C-alpha cells in the first residue's frame, strides 16, 4: 500500500485545560494510528493569537502532526475534526518531497540546537 506524507494543523479552543488539550491531541493521534498512519512528528505550538476571531475567540492552541498514511485516512480524520467541538479550525495537506526534506532539516536543526544548549548549560 502506498503511503503519502501529510501534515495536519488543528486549532483547539483556548478555554481547555492543559489536561483536556493533551487528551484531545492524543485522541487525534490515536485516530491516525488506528487507521494505519505512521506519525512522524508532533509539534505543539501552544497558545497563539488568531489572525481573526473564530467563534468569538481571539486565540487558540495550535498542534501540528506530520504523518505517513494511505489517502483514505484524510476523510476519516476530517470527519472527526468536524465532530469535535473543541476543534475550531483544521487543515490537512499532502507534503511533496521538498516539504518532507524541509521538515526533516528543520527537526535536525532543532535537535542540534538542543544538544548545543545542553552542552552549554553543562559547562556552566
Amino acid at each position: 500500500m502506498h503511503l503519502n506524507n501529510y501534515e495536519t494543523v488543528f486549532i483547539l479552543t483556548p478555554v481547555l485545560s492543559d489536561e483536556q488539550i493533551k487528551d484531545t491531541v492524543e485522541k487525534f493521534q490515536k485516530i491516525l494510528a488506528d487507521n494505519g498512519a505512521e506519525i512522524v512528528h508532533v509539534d505543539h505550538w501552544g497558545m497563539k493569537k488568531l489572525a481573526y476571531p473564530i467563534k468569538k475567540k481571539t486565540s487558540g492552541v495550535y498542534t501540528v502532526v506530520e504523518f505517513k498514511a494511505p489517502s483514505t485516512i484524510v476523510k476519516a480524520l476530517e470527519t472527526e475534526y468536524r465532530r469535535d467541538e473543541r476543534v475550531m479550525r483544521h487543515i490537512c495537506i499532502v507534503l511533496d518531497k521538498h516539504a518532507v526534506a524541509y521538515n526533516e532539516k528543520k527537526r535536525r536543526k532543532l535537535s542540534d540546537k538542543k544538544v548545543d544548549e545542553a552542552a552549554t548549560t553543562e559547562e556552566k
Side-chain angles (χ1 to χ4, degrees), residues 49-91:
K49 186 176 178 186
L50 301 172
Y52 54 88
I54 300 172
K55 297 180 183 174
K56 298 183 180 178
K57 307 280 190 300
T58 57
S59 61
V61 180
Y62 285 68
T63 302
V64 181
V65 180
E66 186 180 342
F67 60 96
K68 294 179 183 178
S71 60
T72 55
I73 197 168
V74 174
K75 190 172 183 175
L77 183 63
E78 289 185 340
T79 300
E80 290 299 323
Y81 282 145
R82 280 189 223 104
R83 287 181 180 164
D84 196 323
E85 63 187 23
R86 297 171 291 188
V87 177
M88 296 192 316
R89 287 288 190 271
H90 66 273
I91 188 168

Side-chain angles (χ1 to χ4, degrees), residues 25 31 38 51 93 120-121:
V25 172
I31 290 168
E38 174 191 335
I93 59 170
T120 305
T121 55

Side-chain angles (χ1 to χ4, degrees), residues 4-6 8 32 37-40 65-69 73 92:
N4 292 324
N5 292 296
Y6 293 98
T8 184
L32 289 170
E38 174 191 335
I39 296 175
V40 176
V65 180
E66 186 180 342
F67 60 96
K68 294 179 183 178
I73 197 168
C92 191

Side-chain angles (χ1 to χ4, degrees), residues 5-124:
N5 292 296
Y6 293 98
E7 185 173 86
T8 184
V9 179
F10 53 94
I11 306 171
L12 301 175
T13 181
V15 299
L16 299 174
S17 68
D18 289 344
E19 188 66 30
Q20 290 170 319
I21 292 168
K22 184 179 169 190
D23 290 346
T24 307
V25 172
E26 287 175 355
K27 172 191 167 187
F28 290 112
Q29 287 178 321
K30 185 176 183 326
I31 290 168
L32 289 170
D34 290 348
N35 286 289
E38 174 191 335
I39 296 175
V40 176
H41 185 70
V42 179
D43 197 2
H44 303 281
W45 290 359
M47 186 80 72
K48 299 279 183 193
K49 186 176 178 186
L50 301 172
Y52 54 88
I54 300 172
K55 297 180 183 174
K56 298 183 180 178
K57 307 280 190 300
T58 57
S59 61
V61 180
Y62 285 68
T63 302
V64 181
V65 180
E66 186 180 342
F67 60 96
K68 294 179 183 178
S71 60
T72 55
I73 197 168
V74 174
K75 190 172 183 175
L77 183 63
E78 289 185 340
T79 300
E80 290 299 323
Y81 282 145
R82 280 189 223 104
R83 287 181 180 164
D84 196 323
E85 63 187 23
R86 297 171 291 188
V87 177
M88 296 192 316
R89 287 288 190 271
H90 66 273
I91 188 168
C92 191
I93 59 170
V94 179
L95 299 176
D96 63 10
K97 65 181 181 183
H98 303 292
V100 171
Y102 174 78
N103 284 347
E104 287 174 5
K105 184 177 175 184
K106 186 171 67 176
R107 282 194 297 273
R108 230 179 293 127
K109 271 187 179 178
L110 282 175
S111 66
D112 289 349
K113 188 176 179 180
K114 286 180 183 175
V115 169
D116 289 345
E117 287 175 359
T120 305
T121 55
E122 286 179 11
E123 290 175 5
K124 289 182 180 179

